[in-house]
Amino acid sequence: MRETAELIRKEFMLEIRQRYAINGILLYVFSTIFVVQLCFGRVIDEKTWIALFWVILLFAAFNAVSKSFIQEASARRLYYFMIASPLSVVISKMIYNSLLMVVLGALSLGLFSVFMGFPGLYAGLFVPAFLLGCIGLASALTMVSAIASRSGNNAALMAILGFPVVLPLLLLLVKASQKALTGRVETAEMLRFLSAITLIDLVVVVLAVILFPYLWRD
Amino acid sequence: MIKSMWWKFLGLALVLYSIIAGLLIDVPALPVIHQTIRNLFYHVSMWFAMFVMLGTSLVYSIRYLSGFRMRDDLMASGAVYTGIFFGLMGLMTGMIWAKFTWGDFWTNDPQLNGAAVSMMAYLAYAVLRGSIDEVAMRARISAVYNIFAFMLLVIFLGVLPRLADSSLHPGKGGNTSTMEGLDMTMRMVFYPAALGWILIACWLLQLHTRRRALIQGIH
């Protein structure tokens, strides 16, 4: 527990010290949203809004999370390997990336709403789906980044391995957001979506925790 | 020799039987599909064979991670490659069928998209293996990814199509199940066909693994 907390603190310190990484991602999100506004104009229909928002967030997630393992030089990895258990390493990375994704997602949502307007999404469904979605995207991509970092050409692999892994989650998120468009959603319907998203999150996290030790050792 | 090879002959006989009987038997005259329903014997069998192969590969990947024997990695990767072959065959037979019943080679159906993405996940597995040079590391990393890929396969072909609002496939999106629409004569051909193709897939896997074991010198 202490180890995990310490590792998360380390991630924060690193992020604050090398500010170019987070600034780069923020600028990336801003440029993408700006390009979308230039291409589509301010007025788009609500389904397009949802699709564009999730696609932008997906690519931001790829950019933000892919560095989590790839940035670690092999000497540094060996150092972590000596001092920390693989379990606390993967859990700390997942928690940190989830937090990063939630912040990044909230910022993108704000920026996107400023530039493209905000359709009346039912918050009772959209907000939990959004939070669970950010956590799921971050955890799945953390694991993919761990796999890709062990191979030769990791930038290309990150994309081809990550795309199928996050797709079921993304489809569910888009569907849940479209449902949230229709105004108030019944509780049963809402629970169906949220439980499906939670289930995928859980499966990803459990698989990652079980399988990560095999990726970690040399 | 016959003792250890009987299942190969059985597989050949069943596939031959399903091809001949599949084209000869009377099929129920249903609207839209008409005679193309005979493709069921070949199209669905491909998916059965693929599922068995990818399931085999999951088992061997788990076995590899618990014992680190190269033989298990060989079986796991061979089973994935054989599974990809049957998956592509399933996609192709399905596309031909779709052209004659739904009017297009590709429709925006959850089952189709799920199958395509699962195939992509397994093709990514092949790329991943190609990009790691060290043998033991390749075996370990790809075993981990393989377990993820199988989870995706189950989600894409087992869960999402059933959650979808509409589907052209039977048993999905509120449609009635396939088996209810199958009459007795069709079952007489369908079950042997599926079993036959599964046996052929096992045979292919055995040949593939033996050849690679010889090349790599693994016993």
Side-chain angles (χ1 to χ4, degrees):
Chain A
M1 236 11 253
R2 262 189 62 106
E3 213 169 58
T4 314
E6 204 60 31
L7 282 168
I8 295 173
R9 206 174 68 88
K10 178 222 86 180
E11 295 282 339
F12 271 109
M13 297 276 282
L14 265 182
E15 198 73 82
I16 290 167
R17 284 189 191 160
Q18 333 176 306
R19 232 163 292 159
Y20 68 90
I22 186 88
N23 287 345
I25 298 159
L26 288 178
L27 197 57
Y28 173 84
V29 170
F30 174 75
S31 328
T32 322
I33 292 173
F34 194 63
V35 167
V36 164
Q37 198 238 347
L38 290 178
C39 294
F40 284 83
R42 270 196 64 90
V43 185
I44 50 173
D45 67 276
E46 290 149 333
K47 282 204 165 165
T48 321
W49 190 96
I50 287 168
L52 280 174
F53 174 69
W54 282 113
V55 170
I56 288 171
L57 203 59
L58 176 73
F59 281 95
F62 264 102
N63 268 319
V65 180
S66 68
K67 71 174 174 39
S68 67
F69 277 99
I70 293 167
Q71 71 169 0
E72 310 277 19
S74 64
R76 195 148 22 121
R77 217 193 54 235
L78 198 60
Y79 176 59
Y80 295 145
F81 183 73
M82 302 291 233
I83 60 166
S85 77
L87 208 64
S88 46
V89 170
V90 70
I91 290 176
S92 70
K93 290 260 186 202
M94 276 184 182
I95 292 176
Y96 173 74
N97 283 330
S98 303
L99 289 174
L100 183 68
M101 268 315 291
V102 169
V103 172
L104 203 61
L107 278 175
S108 318
L109 186 63
L111 260 181
F112 203 58
S113 309
V114 168
F115 277 102
M116 312 294 290
F118 186 74
L121 293 170
Y122 175 55
L125 176 59
F126 183 72
V127 172
F130 172 79
L131 290 177
L132 285 171
C134 282
I135 293 169
L137 283 178
S139 322
L141 288 175
T142 305
M143 194 56 192
V144 172
S145 150
I147 295 176
S149 71
R150 304 313 298 272
S151 70
N153 58 341
N154 43 42
L157 263 185
M158 182 74 202
I160 57 168
L161 297 181
F163 173 68
V165 173
V166 296
L167 204 65
L169 194 60
L170 196 74
L171 287 179
L172 271 175
L173 288 170
V174 169
K175 263 199 197 127
S177 314
Q178 283 174 354
K179 199 88 217 170
L181 267 182
T182 55
R184 254 196 95 72
V185 186
E186 303 141 54
T187 324
E189 187 99 43
M190 223 164 79
L191 279 181
R192 204 169 65 103
F193 275 112
L194 293 182
S195 59
I197 297 173
T198 316
L199 194 72
I200 292 187
D201 283 13
L202 269 182
V203 169
V204 168
V205 170
V206 168
L207 273 183
V209 165
I210 295 172
L211 294 175
F212 185 74
Y214 295 106
L215 292 176
W216 194 226
R217 46 176 259 182
D218 268 308
Chain B
M1 191 174 105
I2 292 294
K3 246 184 190 165
S4 60
M5 280 173 67
W6 62 271
W7 57 273
K8 295 172 186 169
F9 291 114
L10 178 65
L12 278 181
L14 287 177
V15 167
L16 208 61
Y17 159 77
S18 74
I19 291 174
I20 296 170
L23 295 175
L24 287 182
I25 56 157
D26 281 326
V27 290
L30 296 171
V32 184
I33 30 181
H34 300 296
Q35 291 294 318
T36 66
I37 198 167
R38 294 179 195 277
N39 196 10
L40 176 110
F41 307 132
Y42 315 118
H43 171 64
V44 184
S45 317
M46 291 297 128
W47 294 116
F48 275 44
M50 182 200 75
F51 255 107
V52 170
M53 279 300 108
L54 296 181
T56 311
S57 131
L58 174 76
V59 170
Y60 276 99
S61 278
I62 294 171
R63 270 182 58 166
Y64 178 79
L65 288 180
S66 55
F68 300 109
R69 279 181 305 273
M70 286 317 285
R71 181 87 206 171
D72 290 337
D73 174 59
L74 207 62
M75 282 295 277
S77 57
V80 168
Y81 297 144
T82 319
I84 290 176
F85 172 73
F86 278 98
L88 293 180
M89 289 296 125
L91 276 181
M92 273 193 237
T93 49
M95 279 164 75
I96 295 168
W97 199 359
K99 179 70 186 166
F100 289 100
T101 51
W102 304 332
D104 227 326
F105 284 117
W106 198 268
T107 57
N108 204 2
D109 184 79
Q111 191 85 1
L112 263 71
N113 294 333
V117 177
S118 326
M119 278 300 107
M120 255 191 263
Y122 278 101
L123 289 172
Y125 170 90
V127 175
L128 177 69
R129 283 187 74 85
S131 71
I132 306 174
D133 291 327
E134 214 246 301
V135 183
M137 174 107 101
R138 168 166 65 206
R140 209 170 60 229
I141 308 283
S142 59
V144 168
Y145 181 71
N146 191 21
I147 294 170
F148 262 93
F150 194 80
M151 171 202 85
L152 286 179
L153 184 75
V154 170
I155 290 178
F156 272 121
L157 294 181
V159 181
L160 285 185
R162 287 192 170 75
L163 279 178
D165 308 321
S166 64
S167 173
L168 295 165
H169 276 82
K172 310 287 156 63
N175 298 352
T176 51
S177 151
T178 325
M179 288 305 145
E180 287 165 26
L182 268 188
D183 72 348
M184 272 328 276
T185 36
M186 286 193 66
R187 285 182 204 209
M188 292 276 287
V189 179
F190 174 64
Y191 293 135
L195 182 65
W197 281 109
I198 288 169
L199 289 175
I200 294 287
C202 293
W203 191 3
L204 270 180
L205 172 63
Q206 192 190 38
L207 289 177
H208 188 84
T209 317
R210 275 184 185 165
R211 183 175 149 270
R212 288 205 307 155
L214 280 177
I215 291 172
Q216 296 173 14
I218 298 166
H219 303 291

